[in-house]
Amino acid sequence: MTIQDFKTNTIKRLSQSSPSPQLDVEVLLSYALGFSKTELLMKRDYEIPADGLRWLQEAVERRAGGLPIAYITGHKEFYGYDFLVTPAVLIPKPDTEILVSRAVDVILEKIDAHPDRILTVCDMCTGSGCIALSVLKSLYESERVPAERLPKFTLVDISKPALEIAQKNAEALLLGAGADGKENLLGRVRFVQSNLFEMLPYQFDIVLTNPPYVPASLTDQLLKDGRSEPRLALDGDITLSGDKAESDDGLEIIRNLMPQIYDHTVFGGFFLMETGEYNMRGAENLSYRAGFRNTQVYKDLEGQERVLYGEKMKV
């Protein structure tokens, strides 16, 4: 079967189950054959090898069942970097890049303001590690900060399988990060399995977090499509003990997390948190009640309120 025949047949196959069947087909073909998008167009009459065709046909059936492309290929681009993903972690979303971008800008300001010390950053509910690793790699590549002055990052998650994915991503992105292969940024990161800050008896200059914030009922609806993303990383209506909360606003975890962020942030420090447009103002109110001030809300690519910023003011 040629590339063009496969594309034509598969787009029809996925048109009822995928919002972007053509893009899905192109991504699968590129992954299976190692061709760029341009090569796929130029080699439309290329005969797909038998082993590649078998993999593609199986992949299409999995996609038709609702499994995201990223879980099929095991990769997802985020903030210009390639991340390993499995159903143990959420697939990085473009909207989360807003948090990374803001974090890079504000951390650079803080580094300039504190030339005498190394900043510490906590990435709570790290999942694939995409937030912390993208921030660290971007800071390094900006060349505004010497490698020895880059912040030290602590990546935290309650899920051991998620932390294992984050560690693999760190090794892939940070080992030999310099152009000459001599820089090893792995020494700037560590990994801690913890239920929020339970295993972290110290404070940080900066806390970054994309916690579970989807209401329980909406999580039920989302997971009906076969996407296979971990409920643990979506459902925000879970208590500290792991039980279902009485709330259905997606804020139960944030109710517990926000005071902990305050306690584990130094005076003069700040946090950046992703949450839903439907509960952003609730999260902002919780941050104020916890003690944070100078809050700001940043909108995502669709104009929805997505990222919350707050400062722990010096007394």
Side-chain angles (χ1 to χ4, degrees), residues 127-140:
S128 66
C130 66
I131 292 175
L133 300 178
S134 295
V135 171
L136 176 54
K137 195 76 180 290
S138 295
L139 290 172
Y140 174 75

Side-chain angles (χ1 to χ4, degrees), residues 175-242:
L175 190 61
D180 56 7
K182 294 181 180 179
E183 295 287 0
N184 178 5
L185 299 185
L186 277 178
R188 313 307 282 189
V189 300
R190 63 172 175 164
F191 304 86
V192 177
Q193 185 178 2
S194 177
N195 185 359
L196 302 184
F197 284 91
E198 182 179 10
M199 305 303 293
L200 299 164
Y202 33 80
Q203 293 182 313
F204 299 88
D205 293 291
I206 299 121
V207 175
L208 311 175
T209 183
N210 181 9
Y213 59 75
V214 181
S217 58
L218 181 55
T219 302
D220 293 337
Q221 294 299 316
L222 289 174
L223 294 178
K224 284 182 179 179
D225 65 3
R227 66 177 60 195
S228 297
E229 290 189 286
R231 185 183 190 100
L232 183 66
L234 288 170
D235 191 347
D237 291 309
I238 300 297
T239 67
L240 284 175
S241 61

Side-chain angles (χ1 to χ4, degrees), residues 114-300:
H114 299 280
D116 56 331
R117 62 188 181 88
I118 304 299
L119 298 178
T120 57
V121 183
C122 175
D123 179 13
M124 177 58 63
C125 307
T126 192
S128 66
C130 66
I131 292 175
L133 300 178
S134 295
V135 171
L136 176 54
K137 195 76 180 290
S138 295
L139 290 172
Y140 174 75
E141 292 177 348
S142 75
E143 298 184 346
R144 285 181 53 183
V145 186
E148 65 273 12
R149 290 203 59 227
L150 288 168
K152 292 185 177 181
F153 287 74
T154 300
L155 283 65
V156 186
D157 206 286
I158 193 173
S159 166
K160 183 178 179 181
L163 282 176
E164 290 173 350
I165 296 299
Q167 287 178 292
K168 290 179 180 179
N169 280 321
E171 291 168 1
L173 286 168
L174 305 181
L175 190 61
D180 56 7
K182 294 181 180 179
E183 295 287 0
N184 178 5
L185 299 185
L186 277 178
R188 313 307 282 189
V189 300
R190 63 172 175 164
F191 304 86
V192 177
Q193 185 178 2
S194 177
N195 185 359
L196 302 184
F197 284 91
E198 182 179 10
M199 305 303 293
L200 299 164
Y202 33 80
Q203 293 182 313
F204 299 88
D205 293 291
I206 299 121
V207 175
L208 311 175
T209 183
N210 181 9
Y213 59 75
V214 181
S217 58
L218 181 55
T219 302
D220 293 337
Q221 294 299 316
L222 289 174
L223 294 178
K224 284 182 179 179
D225 65 3
R227 66 177 60 195
S228 297
E229 290 189 286
R231 185 183 190 100
L232 183 66
L234 288 170
D235 191 347
D237 291 309
I238 300 297
T239 67
L240 284 175
S241 61
D243 299 319
K244 179 176 172 54
E246 295 182 2
S247 61
D248 189 28
D249 57 7
L251 287 172
E252 182 63 20
I253 288 176
I254 295 177
R255 287 188 187 94
N256 288 302
L257 176 58
M258 196 65 79
Q260 292 188 34
I261 293 177
Y262 187 84
D263 290 341
H264 289 80
T265 301
V266 302
F267 284 107
F270 71 90
F271 79 89
L272 281 163
M273 172 186 287
E274 177 176 330
T275 190
E277 70 277 8
Y278 36 75
N279 54 22
M280 172 60 76
R281 294 303 162 176
E284 185 178 27
N285 182 53
L286 289 170
S287 74
Y288 190 86
R289 288 166 57 184
F292 287 104
R293 297 295 182 266
N294 290 346
T295 58
Q296 297 180 51
V297 174
Y298 301 101
K299 294 183 178 180
D300 62 22

